[in-house]
Each structure stands twice: as C-alpha cells, then as structure tokens.
Amino acid sequence: MQQRTLKKAVEVVGIGLHKGEPIKLRLEPLDVDSGIIFYREDLAMRILLSPDSVIDTRMATVIGNEKGYISTIEHFLSAVYAYGIDNMRVIVDGNEMPIMDGSSISFCLLLEEAGIHEQDALKKIIRVKQPVEVREGDKFVRLLPHESAEFDFRIKFDHPVIGDQKEHFEFSTKAFVEEIARARTFGFAKDIQYLQSQNLALGATLQNAIGLDDHKVLNPEGLRFENEFARHKILDAMGDMLVAGHNILGKYESFAGSHDLNYKLTSKLLSDSKNYDLVEVEELQSRTFAKSFA
C-alpha cells in the first residue's frame, strides 16, 4: 500500500464551534514522508501533528504552543484516518477547525472532492505490539495487538435518551462513511448555556450538534442512529488516535473514554518502543489493513 496525499487543493468555510466566527479551511497536497502539517495562516505558524503538540484536552483536542493553537481537530482527523491520508497541509485562518454539522461527513466529502493520490513510497503505520492501557477510576482506554483496526466503545450516562450504549466498529473506509462519519457531537442545554456565558461554544446550534435537555433530544429531526452517541465517541477516538502521526493497526477499547484519556494513551503508546513498531504496510503478514482502504 502506497502513501497517500491529495490530487488537488480544496477549501471550505465553516463556523468555529467556540468563537462562532467563520473559519476558512484549505487542504493541500504534500510530498512523501511529510506527515500531516497544520498551519495557522493568520499567524504564519506551523504545527506538526504529534502528541507533543497537544496542549489541551478538556473539551476537544487542541494542538499548538504559547504562540497560538488550533482547537477541535478530532472530527477532521477521523476523516483523514478513514481515507488513509499520510501527507497533507491543513491551513486555517483562525484558532479552531470549522465544526460543520458536528460530525465528520463534510470532511469526508471534502477529501473526496480533492481526490486521493497514491505516492511513490510505502505507507507506514503504527502496529501495536503489546497491550497499552490508561485508566482513571472505572474509565479506561486501551490498545491491543490485532490484525485489523477495530474500535469498541461503551458509554453510560444518567439520561433517558443515552443510558448505557455501546458500538463495535470494524474499520474500513466504506464502513466509516456509512456507520460512523455522520454521528454528531452532543451537548446538554444547561452546559451550553454556561459555556456561552464564558464566551465559549458561541457557534453551537442544533445544526452542528445534538442538543439535550434533562429528558429528550432537542433537534426536531431526532437522531441519525439509535446509538449515535456511542458512534460519535468512536469518531472522536479515531481522530485522537491519528494524533500519533500514523494510522494504528490494533484494537481500541474504551469505557467512558475522553479526549484526555486518548491523548494519554497515544503518549503512553509512543513512550516505549516495546509497545509498537513503525512498519511499512508491505511488511505486514496480514493484508486486511490495506484492503480496508480499498
């Protein structure tokens, strides 16, 4: 399997979740072994995708440094993971990614508009060699050795609409688009009201998130999937795992995981070479992973 970039540059404008302001996003091809490079056009600032670049994980995954940052990258990165893009320049003119409809489907369509270009170098992936886990109380995230990429997520909320949900996802690009990409982020009305009083979540609407009061879903159209909340957690996890810099070959499992636990998991994975190998896809005995991008 070859490394991938885009056939052409594409751009879109969307609203930022927290500032509520228009954000221009432009994607450009890059040469082999360049990786995913984020760029703040307004600051002329380059940010390499890596756990070392993560500076905040409280409400979203945020990368940057004291000079500037880019927030809410996980929905975009889950689409990048799904399409197997290795090398790309991601340019924004503000401090967050556009939220679009609160899922990844708009980013999937943007990548399809750009087209996929296979490059003259083999794709490198992170292969999990031994179990790696991060646990806080009863919450946990873990990666296990596996011959394909799979995700198991369980959540439990004391809310009549959410309750105890789980989703098992066997990765392929096609399955991602059909089963995961359209699952939206969600929030509780009382929390949104507080955040907006703190000048956060100013762009949050029922057009880019699932809204919940104490009893029901506030969106007139309802849910896209019965367990949309658990599916969105897998979407988030895929984006957060790509912060490691490469697609990961292994099984991800979680109960009540978060951006913070995912960040700690990728950091722990990469902290010890006994945990993983960086391998070219051609070296894999199993071709299942490569076929999943077909």
Side-chain angles (χ1 to χ4, degrees), residues 163-181:
D164 194 332
Q165 288 190 8
K166 59 184 178 181
E167 175 69 8
H168 172 73
F169 177 60
E170 297 181 12
F171 170 73
S172 74
T173 304
K174 183 175 185 293
F176 177 81
V177 172
E178 294 176 352
E179 301 171 20
I180 302 296

Side-chain angles (χ1 to χ4, degrees), residues 5-10 27 109-117:
T5 189
L6 308 178
K7 286 185 178 178
K8 65 177 183 180
V10 289
L27 308 179
L109 295 174
L110 192 63
L111 292 174
E112 290 184 6
E113 179 187 343
I116 307 300
H117 172 64

Side-chain angles (χ1 to χ4, degrees), residues 213-227:
D213 64 14
D214 291 339
H215 308 288
K216 63 184 183 300
V217 171
L218 299 175
N219 304 62
E221 75 280 10
L223 298 176
R224 294 175 176 175
F225 306 94
E226 184 178 359
N227 65 341

Side-chain angles (χ1 to χ4, degrees), residues 34 74 80 88 129 133 136 169 171 181 190 201 203 209 214 257 259 281 294:
S34 295
E74 60 275 5
V80 176
M88 179 171 58
K129 291 170 61 179
E133 180 178 283
E136 290 182 359
F169 177 60
F171 170 73
K190 57 187 177 183
D214 291 339
H259 298 303
V281 173

Side-chain angles (χ1 to χ4, degrees), residues 15-82:
I15 297 298
L17 177 64
H18 290 300
K19 297 300 181 183
E21 299 172 349
I23 300 287
K24 183 176 75 174
L25 168 66
R26 180 176 172 84
L27 308 179
E28 296 179 347
L30 282 180
D31 293 335
V32 298
D33 296 327
S34 295
I36 307 296
I37 306 295
F38 284 80
Y39 186 75
R40 277 283 301 270
E41 190 173 33
D42 54 325
L43 299 177
M45 176 185 171
R46 179 179 179 271
I47 308 171
L48 179 65
L49 186 63
S50 160
D52 292 338
S53 298
V54 174
I55 60 170
D56 194 357
T57 53
R58 286 170 294 178
M59 296 177 58
T61 297
V62 184
I63 55 174
N65 55 41
E66 67 280 356
K67 296 179 181 178
Y69 63 89
I70 302 173
S71 177
T72 322
I73 63 173
E74 60 275 5
H75 299 170
F76 169 72
L77 286 180
S78 67
V80 176
Y81 182 113

Side-chain angles (χ1 to χ4, degrees), residues 1 25 33 108 110 137 147 159 186 207 219 229 241 243:
M1 184 178 179
L25 168 66
D33 296 327
C108 293
L110 192 63
E147 289 205 350
H159 190 280
F186 57 95
Q207 281 69 55
N219 304 62
F229 307 95
M241 291 303 98
V243 172

